[in-house]
Amino acid sequence: MAEDRTVDLVVVGGGFTGNSAAVEASRRGASVAVLEAETIGHGGSGRNVGLINAGLWVPPEEVIRTMGDAAGHKLMAALAEGPSRVWRLIGDLGIACEATPNGTLHLAHSAAGVRDLQDRHRQGLAMGWPLSLLDATETARRTGSRSFFGALFDPRAGTIQPLSYARGLARAARAAGAHLHDGTKVTCVQRQGDMWVVTANGHTVRAKSLLLATNAYFNGIEMGFRPEIVAVSYFQLATAPMPARLRDSILSGGEGCWDTAVVMSSFRIDQAGRMIVGAVGNLEGPGRPVHAAWARRALARVYPQLADLPFEHDWRGRIAMTGDHIPKIVAFGPNAYACFGYSGRGISPGTVFGTQAAIALLEGDERVLPIAPIAAHHERMVRAKEVYYETGAVLAHSVRPAPFL
């Protein structure tokens, strides 16, 4: 950003939430400025696993116990429609992001994992979701591996190239008239009269409404508020493209996968035929050798035919976790929301929350939000929890022999 500007809505953060809000607001005729400290999609959005899921990490009954019946059902209904909203946006906006709406497989890593999936299947059917429980034989046919005990298939879900989706939303917002500025670190946010004044790069944006969409990448903005989350690292490694002869026998249906282990893992195949393996852990910290060695062992165990396929790329992102694993919308001032805490489910919830937050801010009607805004949210023992998650991931990747744990 190289000049002062006055807009209807200023968005801080150029990921799924911020860019979805910018698309919606711009299409409604509002003036919008998106301010991103790094590059569009630099944070958890561009470093996402690439799985589009319906619902949350926690099962429906737990969500309803935590939130109450009406609020829980409202949130779950909004997120159940999340994947279809993403697929529709991709089609309507012409976003090239390797969209593969072929479903996902939640894989049982053990007999206990099967029981977990059976319970999730029961709860999902009660919500009216079109889930299928697969036995070990069908799971082996779908994945091309006999390492798993069963799977829960969700046909609403699928995979994308997440950075391409984040950037595609940004391009669509710009085409609709939004001003997008990367390399623009916000340093101060103040309320002056009936306007928000956001300072970045020595310039100011004055706006009627403000959306803070930094999630796990909030970086020291002077504003009297910060989203309280537990930042958990998730890493991924991508192999060289698989030989053509193996493409028909490994995830031939194109589903994305993750498992039931406490230290979760994921894998999917991209359009070029790369196997992308991911797990909880910081690949940029001292645990890198342990995590990288685990990925090599896990790939060889689940897919022995890929044992010698080299990893050519790796990256790590931060997940914003909340204590109850339920996203939050904090109304930290007049006409101002902060959306955060997707707990690893950023694509679909980020799209839903960003879109609806834009509508609520422009129309002054919080009833359109998927979850009621709150005045504040506090997390206890944040640093201790972050150390706990990374230490647990390092230990799990050091000693556990089972696949994708």
Side-chain angles (χ1 to χ4, degrees):
M1 189 173 68
E3 61 182 4
D4 295 346
R5 194 180 298 282
T6 299
V7 295
D8 296 315
L9 172 66
V10 60
V11 179
V12 182
F16 300 138
T17 302
N19 294 338
S20 295
V23 169
E24 183 65 28
S26 298
R27 292 168 104 184
R28 288 171 174 263
S31 55
V32 182
V34 178
L35 311 181
E36 164 59 48
E38 302 290 343
T39 56
I40 297 297
H42 168 84
S45 295
R47 300 164 194 273
N48 190 278
V49 173
L51 303 183
I52 296 178
N53 288 299
L56 297 171
W57 182 51
V58 291
E61 289 178 0
E62 185 175 338
V63 174
I64 291 168
R65 278 196 301 271
T66 301
M67 299 183 64
D69 189 73
H73 275 94
K74 180 181 180 180
L75 176 60
M76 297 307 294
L79 296 184
E81 294 298 317
S84 64
R85 181 176 291 198
V86 173
W87 303 132
R88 189 165 57 250
L89 270 176
I90 290 170
D92 291 348
L93 302 177
I95 299 175
C97 60
E98 302 186 15
T100 308
N102 294 1
T104 54
L105 295 168
H106 192 179
L107 300 168
H109 74 290
S110 65
V114 172
R115 292 190 291 272
D116 179 28
L117 295 185
Q118 289 171 339
D119 191 45
R120 289 174 181 270
H121 181 241
R122 174 188 62 78
Q123 293 184 41
L125 292 184
M127 297 290 293
W129 299 346
L131 307 179
S132 300
L133 195 62
L134 311 181
D135 62 17
T137 300
E138 178 62 10
T139 300
R141 187 188 72 80
R142 299 272 191 114
T143 61
S145 171
R146 307 189 72 84
S147 297
F148 304 100
F149 290 68
L152 189 62
F153 174 65
D154 188 343
R156 302 168 296 175
T159 68
I160 59 172
Q161 210 293 346
L163 180 57
S164 295
Y165 176 58
R167 290 178 173 173
L169 289 172
R171 280 191 289 269
R174 186 172 59 192
H179 302 279
L180 280 84
H181 304 283
D182 59 6
T184 302
K185 177 175 167 48
V186 173
T187 53
C188 182
V189 175
Q190 296 176 302
R191 183 74 176 171
Q192 294 183 2
D194 61 351
M195 300 288 280
W196 288 100
V197 179
V198 179
T199 303
N201 290 9
H203 297 278
T204 60
V205 176
R206 297 176 60 84
K208 299 175 184 176
S209 300
L210 167 66
L211 177 62
L212 184 67
T214 55
N215 209 23
Y217 286 76
F218 183 87
N219 188 14
I221 302 172
E222 180 186 335
M223 58 185 298
F225 167 81
R226 65 174 297 125
E228 293 191 21
I229 54 98
V230 176
V232 177
S233 290
Y234 200 94
F235 70 86
Q236 295 177 83
L237 297 98
T239 68
M242 294 187 299
R245 60 184 172 79
L246 297 177
R247 294 291 297 274
D248 292 335
S249 61
I250 297 177
L251 287 175
S252 58
E255 302 95 339
C257 303
W258 81 103
D259 66 18
T260 55
V262 174
V263 180
M264 194 194 82
S265 317
S266 62
F267 60 101
R268 67 179 178 91
I269 297 174
D270 72 2
Q271 201 168 71
R274 303 178 185 90
M275 175 66 76
I276 302 175
V277 179
V280 174
N282 184 359
L283 207 62
E284 298 173 1
R288 177 183 176 90
V290 173
H291 298 315
W294 164 85
R296 186 78 267 164
R297 293 194 313 271
L299 183 61
R301 186 180 180 93
V302 177
Y303 293 112
Q305 60 272 52
L306 302 182
D308 297 325
L309 197 63
F311 287 117
E312 292 187 338
H313 308 278
D314 63 69
W315 60 96
R316 164 253 185 174
R318 294 199 297 272
I319 293 171
M321 302 277 280
T322 61
D324 56 12
H325 306 297
I326 294 174
K328 310 299 175 191
I329 299 178
V330 175
F332 59 90
N335 302 321
Y337 292 142
C339 300
F340 58 91
Y342 306 127
S343 295
R345 292 289 184 96
I347 300 175
S348 178
T351 301
V352 171
F353 274 58
T355 300
Q356 298 307 116
I359 297 171
L361 288 169
L362 294 177
E363 297 185 352
D365 185 2
E366 66 181 38
R367 292 175 299 177
V368 303
L369 295 170
I371 190 170
I374 54 180
H377 171 72
H378 300 292
E379 290 286 336
R380 299 177 58 193
M381 303 175 64
V382 169
R383 182 55 185 155
K385 291 177 182 177
E386 292 174 348
V387 171
Y388 169 80
Y389 279 114
E390 177 58 20
T391 301
V394 169
L395 291 174
H397 291 161
S398 299
V399 302
R400 291 191 177 181
F404 288 96
L405 298 186

